Amino acid sequence: MQNESWLVKKDRVWAMRFFKDKHPDEDGTKYIRIHYACCRNRFLHGITPNVQLCESEKLTYETARVLWLCSVEAEWEVSKKPLWVTY
């Protein structure tokens, strides 16, 4: 997985950002963090203003991979560009 990747729901109201978590467990297990966000005015094809971060989740790499694949098979599309500003 790259440093981060993005999915946006086909209606462009919801989006997910997948990125590597900076803090592995003591046993060395690495995680992927997922931020879920929404935008009432819909996500643009690039940086969108007025995005509301709704939830953050920490998953193992394999679980995040399954979520990504299942989402793309359902109603989500890969965004080639970031959808909101991250810090």
Side-chain angles (χ1 to χ4, degrees):
M1 179 175 236
Q2 307 163 358
N3 286 338
E4 68 178 13
S5 51
W6 303 77
L7 293 179
V8 61
K9 201 163 186 179
K10 289 182 181 180
D11 65 7
R12 304 203 69 82
V13 174
W14 289 95
M16 290 187 269
R17 175 183 173 230
F18 291 70
F19 60 101
K20 293 178 182 177
D21 191 85
K22 295 178 183 178
H23 307 288
D25 274 355
E26 291 176 6
D27 66 359
T29 302
K30 295 180 181 176
Y31 292 93
I32 301 297
R33 185 158 297 272
I34 297 136
H35 286 168
Y36 300 91
C38 65
C39 182
R40 280 196 225 152
N41 299 328
R42 302 185 192 266
F43 284 95
L44 305 172
H45 294 275
I47 302 300
T48 301
N50 305 316
V51 171
Q52 181 178 0
L53 188 62
C54 299
E55 187 179 343
S56 181
E57 188 172 24
K58 182 174 157 180
L59 301 175
T60 63
Y61 179 85
E62 188 56 37
T63 304
R65 184 177 174 276
V66 169
L67 173 61
W68 172 276
L69 292 171
C70 290
S71 298
V72 170
E73 288 176 1
E75 298 181 27
W76 297 79
E77 300 173 337
V78 177
S79 174
K80 298 191 187 302
K81 297 180 182 180
L83 296 170
W84 65 84
V85 176
T86 60
Y87 299 100

